[in-house]
Amino acid sequence: MSGLFGVVSNRDCVETLFYGTDYHSHLGTQKAGLAVFNHKLQRSIHDITVSQFKSKFAEELASFKGKMGIGVISDHDPQPIIISSSFGNFALVMNGLLANRDKLIKEIMNRGSSFSELSSGEINAVEVIGKLIAQKSGILQGIENVLDKVKGSASFLVLTKEGIYAVRDKFGRTPLTIGKNEGVLAVASESCAFPNLGFRTEKELGPGEIVLINEKGLQKIKAPSNKEKICAFLWIYTGYPASVYDGISVETVRERCGANLAKDDKIKADLVTGVPDSGIAHAIGYAAAAKIPYRRSLVKYTSGYGRSYTPPSQKIRDKVAKMKLIPIKEVVGGKSIVICDDSIVRGTQLKNQAIQKLWRCGAKEIHVRIACPPLMFPCSYCLSTRTNKELAARRAIKKAFGEKTLPLEDFLDYKNCRYQKMVEAICKELGVNSLRYQSVEDMIEAIGLPKERLCLYCWTGKD
Ligand code: SF4
C-alpha cells in the first residue's frame, strides 16, 4: 500500500505538497518521494525505514520550487520515477499491486525496453507502469494502456508540463479524492490530508476515472465505470480515521463494527479497550452499545513508530510492536476486559504485544473481539505483506484438522462447526478466555455499501 498526494497551485506549492504527502505516512514505511515541475522536473527520494518523512525532507525543501507537484509514501518501491517518452518527460507515483507483473515485464522487454533494477534485484513496479505509459504515442493512450493491461490494481498520478493526471484503478479498489481551495487543487489517497490544509472535498474519483488538474481547473478526461470493488479493509484497518471513502467515514464505520460485535455478546466485563490505533474506534462502538466503560489499557508511546505489520521483516515488525505499546497496570489489574482489534493477520503481535502485556498487568479475564472475519486469503490487489501460510486462520485450520483437505467454504461460514473449531484453535493460540469475529454480513452492513461494490476477497476468496 502507498499514499499519493498531488497539488496544483497559482503560487509555489511546495509547502502544501510536503504536508499533504506527510498525511499519508501511515501507509508506508519504506520509501518516500517528491517531484515538482518548474520548467523541468525535480525529484527526490529517501529511505524512511528508520526516520520519518518530515525529518528526511525538511532540510532540502528550500531547494524545491514549483506550482505543481506530486508526493508519495511508499511501502515498497522507490518513487516518484521520471520517464522520458516521445511525448515528453513525466514523473509518476503509484499505489497498487501488479498481479501480472512478470508477464508485463516480459512483454515490455520483448519490445526492446530495459529496466533499472532495485538493489534487491526486483524490478520497480512503478517503472513498469511508466513503461506502459511511454509505449504509446500520447499520455492518454499510455494511461489507457495501463488500465487495460494491469491485473491487480494501480491508482496513479502523472506529473507533466500540462498538469497532473489523476487515475483511479479500474475497479476503484484504492481511493483518490480531489480537494479544492482558492486557486489550488489537490488529489489525495486519504481525504484526511485536506481539512488542515484548507481544502474541501470537490469529488471522489470513480473506478477507472481519469482527470487532469492544472491552472485552468479540473478537467474530466474519462468518466468512471460503474464496476466498483473498493477495498473493504480500508474502513476496517488501513484507512485513516479522519478519512472518507465513497462518502462514508472510516471512524463511524469502525464504531458501527464495534456496536455489531457487542450485539448478542453475553460477556460481563469491567471495561472495553482497543488496541491502538485502529482498534480504538471499534472498541468505542462496542463500549457504547454494551454500556460498559471504555478505558485505555494500552497506550502508544509515539505515533512515530507507525504501523507494525507493514515493515517487511518480521524482526523489525516485532521490535516496533514491542516498543510502541505500553500497558497501564492501574487500569488493567484485577479487571475482566473486552479488547477490540481491527483484524488478526498473523496473530503474533496481538498475542505478544497486547494480550501478554495485559496478563502480566494482572488482568482477570481477556475477551478478544475482532472487527472483521478471519482473514483467509492473501490480498492480490493492494497489500503485498501476507502469504497463505502466515495467516492465523490457515495455521489454526492445520492445527485443528491436520493435513486433511477440507472444503474452505466450511471455514467461511460462522455457523459451521468447522469455523467454530478454527476460532477455538486461534483463541487457544492467543491464550484468552474467548474470541469472536464480526461476520461478513455485519461488516458489510457496518460499511453501508452494497456487497457488489466491495472487495471482500480477503475473507471470501471471491472477486
Ligand atoms: S483483498 Fe482484502 S486488502 Fe486486498 S483489496 Fe480486497 S479487501 Fe482490500
Side-chain angles (χ1 to χ4, degrees):
M1 195 111 191
S2 301
L4 315 182
F5 187 80
V7 57
V8 175
S9 178
N10 52 11
R11 49 193 178 271
D12 191 82
C13 75
V14 172
E15 187 178 309
T16 306
L17 178 64
F18 175 71
Y19 286 108
T21 305
D22 185 51
Y23 276 126
H24 293 78
S25 292
H26 57 289
L27 291 175
T29 53
Q30 298 300 298
K31 301 278 190 258
L34 300 175
V36 289
F37 184 82
N38 186 20
H39 305 297
K40 60 181 175 59
L41 290 165
Q42 183 188 0
R43 173 195 66 171
S44 178
I45 300 173
H46 285 295
D47 183 296
I48 52 163
T49 47
V50 180
S51 304
Q52 293 293 296
F53 168 82
K54 276 202 288 293
S55 59
K56 285 285 188 172
F57 284 85
E59 274 180 24
E60 69 179 312
L61 215 58
S63 67
F64 275 85
K65 295 253 170 315
K67 292 181 177 175
M68 304 192 288
I70 54 175
V72 61
I73 304 289
S74 174
D75 209 27
H76 193 252
D77 298 301
Q79 30 177 333
I81 58 150
I82 292 183
I83 297 267
S84 298
S85 73
S86 59
F87 47 87
N89 296 347
F90 60 88
L92 174 71
V93 289
M94 190 271 282
N95 174 25
L97 192 68
L98 314 187
N100 57 340
R101 174 192 173 116
D102 292 346
K103 185 168 173 262
L104 292 173
I105 291 169
K106 209 165 161 198
E107 272 177 27
I108 292 165
M109 283 178 161
N110 286 344
R111 292 171 67 118
S113 286
S114 58
F115 290 91
S116 327
E117 284 194 352
L118 297 181
S119 51
S120 61
E122 279 177 40
I123 285 168
N124 186 334
V126 191
E127 195 180 351
V128 175
I129 300 292
K131 291 272 158 76
L132 288 173
I133 296 173
Q135 267 178 5
K136 296 292 170 179
S137 55
I139 185 82
L140 291 177
Q141 294 91 325
I143 290 171
E144 289 285 3
N145 195 30
V146 175
L147 291 174
D148 283 349
K149 294 218 168 121
V150 166
K151 303 266 178 285
S153 79
S155 290
F156 51 100
L157 306 179
V158 193
L159 174 62
T160 67
K161 65 178 182 333
E162 64 267 19
I164 297 172
Y165 290 88
V167 187
R168 188 168 172 198
D169 68 275
K170 202 169 175 177
F171 294 101
R173 292 195 207 259
T174 61
L176 277 180
T177 304
I178 304 288
K180 195 173 183 180
N181 192 359
E182 275 138 49
V184 193
L185 280 165
V187 54
S189 298
E190 290 282 26
S191 61
C192 68
F194 291 156
N196 290 347
L197 292 170
F199 293 101
R200 59 180 188 284
T201 294
E202 177 74 0
K203 78 180 247 84
E204 295 185 48
L205 297 195
E209 186 169 1
I210 307 171
V211 297
L212 170 65
I213 54 171
N214 58 21
E215 75 284 356
K216 292 185 203 137
L218 172 78
Q219 292 168 52
K220 293 180 183 172
I221 306 285
K222 187 185 176 200
S225 83
N226 55 8
K227 288 190 199 135
E228 187 176 31
K229 282 281 172 195
I230 186 168
C231 169
F233 210 46
L234 284 163
W235 284 281
I236 302 299
Y237 173 63
T238 45
Y240 205 72
S243 283
V244 169
Y245 318 115
D246 276 11
I248 299 170
S249 142
V250 172
E251 183 77 355
T252 55
V253 168
R254 290 181 186 168
E255 287 174 4
R256 287 198 288 266
C257 289
N260 283 343
L261 282 164
K263 214 171 46 181
D264 310 322
D265 201 349
K266 306 275 184 297
I267 296 300
K268 300 267 174 278
D270 299 310
L271 63 98
V272 179
T273 199
V275 179
D277 288 320
S278 43
I280 290 176
H282 299 300
I284 289 171
Y286 186 109
K291 299 192 171 45
I292 300 172
Y294 172 81
R295 295 192 72 190
R296 296 197 300 168
S297 62
L298 293 157
V299 286
K300 201 162 155 188
Y301 181 66
T302 165
S303 55
Y305 277 113
R307 287 174 185 271
S308 53
Y309 97 92
T310 40
S313 118
Q314 187 61 46
K315 205 170 153 203
I316 303 171
R317 278 197 294 272
D318 290 348
K319 176 100 176 164
V320 168
K322 177 169 185 241
M323 302 308 287
K324 73 180 180 184
L325 291 184
I326 308 174
I328 304 177
K329 201 172 177 183
E330 293 72 14
V331 171
V332 173
K335 300 291 194 306
S336 176
I337 297 170
V338 168
I339 182 163
C340 297
D341 205 356
D342 46 77
S343 55
I344 298 179
V345 181
R346 299 168 185 86
T348 42
Q349 285 176 28
L350 178 62
K351 178 179 177 179
N352 299 340
Q353 315 312 342
I355 291 163
Q356 287 187 353
K357 287 177 184 176
L358 298 184
W359 283 133
R360 281 199 290 272
C361 286
K364 190 166 84 186
E365 287 178 14
I366 302 177
H367 303 275
V368 174
R369 298 296 178 262
I370 300 295
C372 69
L375 293 163
M376 298 292 286
F377 302 90
C379 170
S380 310
Y381 305 108
C382 60
L383 295 170
S384 55
T385 53
R386 311 172 197 153
T387 60
N388 253 341
K389 65 177 191 305
E390 284 177 303
L391 295 172
R394 294 291 188 125
R395 281 191 281 113
I397 294 172
K398 215 167 172 188
K399 210 163 193 174
F401 298 94
E403 297 295 339
K404 267 188 285 181
T405 312
L406 295 165
L408 266 182
E409 294 76 52
D410 290 1
F411 300 97
L412 309 182
D413 173 8
Y414 68 94
K415 292 181 224 100
N416 191 299
C417 60
R418 285 186 174 148
Y419 169 97
Q420 284 152 15
K421 211 167 163 193
M422 169 186 75
V423 174
E424 276 165 29
I426 301 170
C427 181
K428 204 167 160 200
E429 179 64 34
L430 291 174
V432 291
N433 299 88
S434 74
L435 168 67
R436 280 182 74 186
Y437 290 85
Q438 187 173 209
S439 67
V440 179
E441 294 75 18
D442 278 358
M443 183 177 73
I444 294 167
E445 182 266 334
I447 293 170
L449 282 178
K451 185 178 179 185
E452 303 66 44
R453 283 178 59 189
L454 289 167
C455 176
L456 301 164
Y457 186 86
C458 286
W459 304 283
T460 63
K462 293 196 184 107
D463 278 321

